[in-house]
Amino acid sequence: MSMKIMITAAEPTPVRWAAEAANVIAAVLKAHPAATIGFPTGETPLPVYAELRRRVTQGQIDVSRCRALMLDEYLDPPEESYTSWSWLSHEVFAPLGLSSDRVRRLPWHSKGVETACAAFERRLRLEDGCDLQILGLGANGHIGFNEPGSAADSRTRAVKLTAATAAANRAYWHGEYEPEWAVTQGIATILAARKILLLARGGAKASILRRALTGPRDPEVPASFLRGASAVHVLADEAAAAALPRSLDYNIEWL
Ligand code: GLP
């Protein structure tokens, strides 16, 4: 297991922070041009996706052979426009030219969801797994939609969202839609990725990042299970890293 924590200095807009995340993605693609990369939704990665689009447009990163993997999805939204799929299509897949045959989509209907989740897992295994899973961090320590209480050996499945996560997701849709149920890659699915990039930005993530990296490995803080993954890069800005103890057992790089 290797854990590296990269901390960027405070800046008015997250330019350096996003560039460091894009560097991690670029390095994976350089080593494996046909890499499979998992993308989260949420506010946190938006500057990273903007930087990725810029580099791809300028020919600095080649994504022509890579595959994309979804991390989580809403279940039974009223319209397809309220899906992580449509969000990521807009932010990542379409602008990067990742046509739908190169995206491994999660189901968004509850009918047949168990079978569809099992098919997602099977295909991921057949296609040699995930090279880089990018993650955000939920305010309650969730990763994907693995809410507190999720088991370390959980796999891709339907989950009921907590009230707090449902409300946080409602804000993404300007109050027009509040999800109740979702589908998520499981903790074990996420941990099987050959590399994980955990993104954290802003003071609101400071205490949960500290619990995830220094507290007990506890289903109540699903992100704490990341310490069992084979290679984890944590990229935090100074505000998100503010509660971390100065001395940690991990390799810390101040950027
Ligand atoms: C959402 C998503 C996660 C995301 C997290 C953090 O509910 N399911 O994949 O990483 O919450 O969101 P944000 O980056 O907006 O803080």
Side-chain angles (χ1 to χ4, degrees):
M1 181 262 179
S2 89
M3 164 87 74
K4 180 173 174 179
I5 304 176
M6 302 178 290
I7 303 173
T8 53
E11 49 187 348
T13 51
V15 176
R16 177 82 199 270
W17 178 87
E20 292 297 338
N23 289 347
V24 173
I25 300 168
V28 168
L29 283 165
K30 196 158 180 232
H32 309 286
T36 294
I37 300 180
F39 294 93
T41 56
E43 293 289 333
T44 307
L46 293 180
V48 180
Y49 296 159
E51 176 64 5
L52 210 50
R53 294 193 296 270
R54 192 187 67 76
R55 292 193 195 186
V56 169
T57 309
Q58 294 186 352
Q60 295 166 17
I61 293 185
D62 180 8
V63 291
S64 61
R65 292 177 55 204
C66 91
R67 252 196 306 251
L69 194 64
M70 289 189 64
L71 171 67
D72 54 29
E73 183 54 282
Y74 303 119
L75 208 48
D76 295 330
E79 290 170 31
E80 194 176 9
S81 55
Y82 297 114
T83 54
S84 300
W85 165 266
S86 79
W87 173 318
L88 288 169
S89 294
H90 176 77
E91 286 292 325
V92 182
F93 307 152
L96 265 49
L98 299 173
S99 50
S100 49
D101 58 312
R102 290 203 283 136
V103 181
R104 299 299 169 253
R105 186 174 181 173
L106 285 166
W108 57 287
H109 289 301
S110 51
K111 192 166 183 290
V113 68
E114 269 183 43
T115 313
C117 287
F120 177 89
E121 287 275 344
R122 206 166 38 245
R123 189 165 193 190
L124 183 58
R125 258 194 314 275
L126 279 174
E127 292 181 340
D128 201 27
C130 179
D131 295 287
L132 174 67
Q133 178 64 58
I134 308 167
L135 297 174
L137 178 63
N140 60 4
H142 71 235
I143 47 174
F145 276 128
N146 291 284
E147 294 278 43
S150 295
D153 63 355
S154 54
R155 289 281 170 185
T156 304
R157 67 202 187 287
V159 289
K160 174 105 168 73
L161 298 178
T162 61
T165 299
N169 278 261
R170 183 171 191 259
Y172 299 146
W173 304 101
H174 313 293
E176 292 159 14
Y177 164 56
E178 180 169 312
E180 272 181 66
W181 284 81
V183 169
T184 183
Q185 284 188 35
I187 301 279
T189 320
I190 292 170
L191 294 192
R194 283 180 278 283
K195 184 177 272 198
I196 290 173
L197 173 62
L198 176 68
L199 301 173
R201 199 157 57 80
K205 299 291 168 70
S207 76
I208 195 64
L209 186 64
R210 179 193 166 99
R211 283 182 70 193
L213 298 183
T214 66
R217 276 189 217 183
D218 177 0
E220 286 314 302
V221 183
S224 65
F225 288 130
L226 291 175
R227 281 141 60 199
S230 53
V232 186
H233 278 204
V234 179
L235 175 63
D237 67 1
E238 209 172 284
L244 294 180
R246 288 275 140 177
S247 68
L248 268 175
D249 288 345
Y250 311 124
N251 170 8
I252 303 188
E253 206 177 317
W254 296 86
L255 302 164

